[in-house]
């Protein structure tokens, strides 16, 4: 990818998209194309088609999606399904028509079966039952992988599917109900401190184990994949669609994550768990050998990254 390449970054305002935007700008990329959701709803195929007609697009990064935490995922299954399928269908079909040089499709670790063997490797896809609380999101994302596979095999489209683990960072949705686990917890701690609450109630048993990646590290992984040579990809994947996990090995029990956030928040009250609420999959930790082989490595460890995010939120 050249500094003058035309890169359409879909979803540039989101947690992941904004990190990629900062990274590309910082590296001196001059032709990054972005568009606000208000101006272009990516679910609207006809409008997206017009947009693709008008613009020069050589690379496509698909960071636009409906994403959220366990409550949002289980409450709005229909929306998670339709929005993701429609966005990815529009973008993938048009990337094919436009003969985009490389497309980066963003999936998620939620696509893997609930009882997949940890660390979860890419080959676990569709090898078992999915977690119920986010099955519509997972199936929508899997359908995007399967469409990518068809485009890759039948039309020789250059496409790389990345499956990141749980992402956190500054530009997250700090919503105590619909947010992902880290921003939802931080929002609860901020509220508890403001209201001088003696205790705080968090979702689930606190026992599940999750792996986290800072959005800046994920942006680096996406950048690695935009630039890796086709020859290198072929060497690893032979004739298969490249599906690549992106995880850090920073695994932590939800209970311990809560303790870390309470320390960084300087919250002295009690942490309680609402054991009646869902836990989701017990353990999700990715095998990330391939992305490391391609030269990517994490730079931000969870403790430092989380501390910075918590302090930044408290200072707002
Ligand atoms: N966050 C995680 O933990 C995580 C983990 C694994 C994989 N991923 C994947 O990474 C990708 C990015 O996730 P994220 O966390 O950055 O999500 P996010 O913060 O919710 O950002 C999503 C972006 O997509 C845009 N968008 C949503 N629907 C749109 C539509 N119909 N038309 C145009 N734009 C639309 C949003 O615009 P508005 O801001 O205007 O709504 C926002 O800019 C997703 O594919 C997600 O599945 C995320």
């Amino acid at each position: 990818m050249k500094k003058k390449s035309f890169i359409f970054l879909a979803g540039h305002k989101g947690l992941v998209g904004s990190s990629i935007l900062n990274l590309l700008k910082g590296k001196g990329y001059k032709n990054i194309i972005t568009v606000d959701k208000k101006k272009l709803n990516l679910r609207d195929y006809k409008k997206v088609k017009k947009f693709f007609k008008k613009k020069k697009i050589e690379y496509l990064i698909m960071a636009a999606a409906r994403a959220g935490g366990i409550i949002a995922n289980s409450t709005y299954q229909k929306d998670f399904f339709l929005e993701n399928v429609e966005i990815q269908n529009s973008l993938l079909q048009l990337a094919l028509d436009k003969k985009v040089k490389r497309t980066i499709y963003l999936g998620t670790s939620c696509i893997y079966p609930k009882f997949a063997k940890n660390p979860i490797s890419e080959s676990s896809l569709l090898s078992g039952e999915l977690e119920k609380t986010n099955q519509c999101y997972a199936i929508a994302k899997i359908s995007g992988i399967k469409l990518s596979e068809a485009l890759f095999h039948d039309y020789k489209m250059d496409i790389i599917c990345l499956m990141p683990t749980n992402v956190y960072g500054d530009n997250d949705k700090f919503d105590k109900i619909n947010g992902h686990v880290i921003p939802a917890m931080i929002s609860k701690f901020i509220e508890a401190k403001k209201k001088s609450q003696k205790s705080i109630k968090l979702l689930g048993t606190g026992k599940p184990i999750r792996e986290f990646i800072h959005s800046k590290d994920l942006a680096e992984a996406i950048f690695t994949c935009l630039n890796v040579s086709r020859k290198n990809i072929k060497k690893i994947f032979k004739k298969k669609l490249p599906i690549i996990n992106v995880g850090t090995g920073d695994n932590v029990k939800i209970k311990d994550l809560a303790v870390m956030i309470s320390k960084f928040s300087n919250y002295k009250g009690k942490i309680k768990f609402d054991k009646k609420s869902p836990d989701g999959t017990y353990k999700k930790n990715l095998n990330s050998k391939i992305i490391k082989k391609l030269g990517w490595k994490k730079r931000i460890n969870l403790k430092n990254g989380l501390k910075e995010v918590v302090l930044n939120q408290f200072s707002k």
Side-chain angles (χ1 to χ4, degrees):
M1 204 168 64
K2 297 189 184 107
K3 292 275 152 78
K4 283 185 181 168
S5 294
F6 287 81
I7 308 159
F8 176 32
L9 170 57
H12 69 290
K13 284 192 166 171
L15 171 63
V16 178
S18 59
S19 274
I20 305 165
L21 185 62
N22 288 338
L23 181 139
L24 292 174
K25 278 185 176 170
K27 287 186 185 285
Y29 284 83
K30 304 264 180 283
N31 297 311
I32 310 162
I33 302 148
T34 58
V35 59
D36 279 13
K37 186 170 142 188
K38 276 186 199 147
K39 279 198 179 155
L40 180 67
N41 184 345
L42 294 169
R43 298 173 67 181
D44 189 334
Y45 179 76
K46 278 187 185 159
K47 284 191 180 150
V48 187
K49 192 173 177 180
K50 271 190 189 159
F51 177 83
F52 267 67
K53 238 184 178 173
K54 270 196 271 169
K55 303 279 177 190
K56 182 168 178 182
I57 299 172
E58 294 175 305
Y59 292 86
L60 169 64
I61 306 168
M62 295 173 58
R66 172 78 182 254
I70 192 165
I71 297 294
N73 250 293
S74 55
T75 313
Y76 308 107
Q77 297 252 8
K78 171 203 54 117
D79 302 315
F80 273 72
F81 186 90
L82 288 176
E83 289 181 33
N84 286 309
V85 166
E86 288 169 10
I87 292 171
Q88 68 212 25
N89 283 355
S90 302
L91 291 175
L92 288 171
Q93 282 185 75
L94 292 163
L96 173 71
D97 296 348
K98 192 87 182 172
K99 297 190 174 55
V100 165
K101 286 185 183 167
R102 177 162 291 169
T103 297
I104 304 290
Y105 173 79
L106 279 171
T108 158
S109 58
C110 301
I111 57 153
Y112 293 118
K114 184 176 174 72
F115 301 109
K117 191 172 160 252
N118 278 266
I120 306 170
S121 64
E122 292 86 350
S123 58
S124 305
L125 180 63
L126 292 174
S127 63
E129 210 179 300
L130 295 166
E131 158 62 28
K132 286 266 183 301
T133 52
N134 57 23
Q135 63 178 355
C136 276
Y137 174 56
I139 288 172
K141 289 288 182 180
I142 293 170
S143 82
I145 298 173
K146 288 294 156 191
L147 175 56
S148 301
E149 199 168 65
L151 298 173
F152 175 84
H153 285 302
D154 303 343
Y155 298 89
K156 310 291 168 242
M157 192 166 134
D158 186 323
I159 178 157
I160 298 180
C161 298
L162 286 190
M163 302 303 133
T165 193
N166 302 279
V167 191
Y168 72 99
D170 283 319
N171 198 24
D172 217 331
K173 286 191 204 88
F174 289 85
D175 179 327
K176 66 181 176 145
I177 297 165
N178 292 316
H180 285 104
V181 57
I182 286 184
M185 267 192 197
I186 295 175
S187 306
K188 286 182 183 173
F189 278 103
I190 290 177
E191 187 180 83
K193 286 254 317 190
K194 256 191 203 158
K195 295 186 176 168
S196 306
Q197 284 171 213
K198 291 202 172 109
S199 67
I200 186 166
K201 209 171 206 181
L202 303 175
L203 294 180
T205 60
K207 288 179 186 166
I209 297 163
R210 291 288 178 272
E211 182 186 36
F212 293 97
I213 184 169
H214 196 287
S215 55
K216 287 183 187 168
D217 274 337
L218 177 55
E220 293 277 358
I222 292 166
F223 187 73
T224 301
C225 290
L226 281 165
N227 285 290
V228 64
S229 71
R230 281 184 202 185
K231 203 173 144 196
N232 246 353
I233 287 286
K234 254 194 180 165
K235 226 193 235 172
I236 297 173
F237 291 95
K238 311 280 185 283
K239 289 182 176 170
K240 277 201 218 150
L241 169 76
I243 301 176
I244 306 176
N245 285 344
V246 189
T248 56
D250 272 339
N251 303 309
V252 61
K253 233 186 196 170
I254 294 299
K255 217 182 224 169
D256 298 334
L257 179 75
V259 171
M260 281 168 89
I261 297 178
S262 78
K263 271 191 190 157
F264 300 146
S265 311
N266 199 20
Y267 177 70
K268 306 280 186 228
K270 261 196 165 175
I271 300 172
K272 293 180 180 171
F273 281 91
D274 173 10
K275 292 178 182 153
K276 283 184 199 141
S277 62
D279 263 341
T281 297
Y282 172 65
K283 188 174 179 186
K284 265 199 292 182
N285 140 234
L286 295 179
N287 175 331
S288 303
K289 278 187 185 157
I290 298 176
I291 189 75
K292 287 182 190 156
K293 210 171 168 179
L294 295 177
W296 173 85
K297 63 170 191 251
K298 102 176 161 191
R299 290 176 202 270
I300 305 170
N301 73 38
L302 180 62
K303 202 174 156 195
N304 295 340
L306 189 59
K307 187 174 180 183
E308 196 182 288
V309 172
V310 171
L311 296 182
N312 286 344
Q313 284 310 306
F314 268 90
S315 69
K316 275 189 178 166

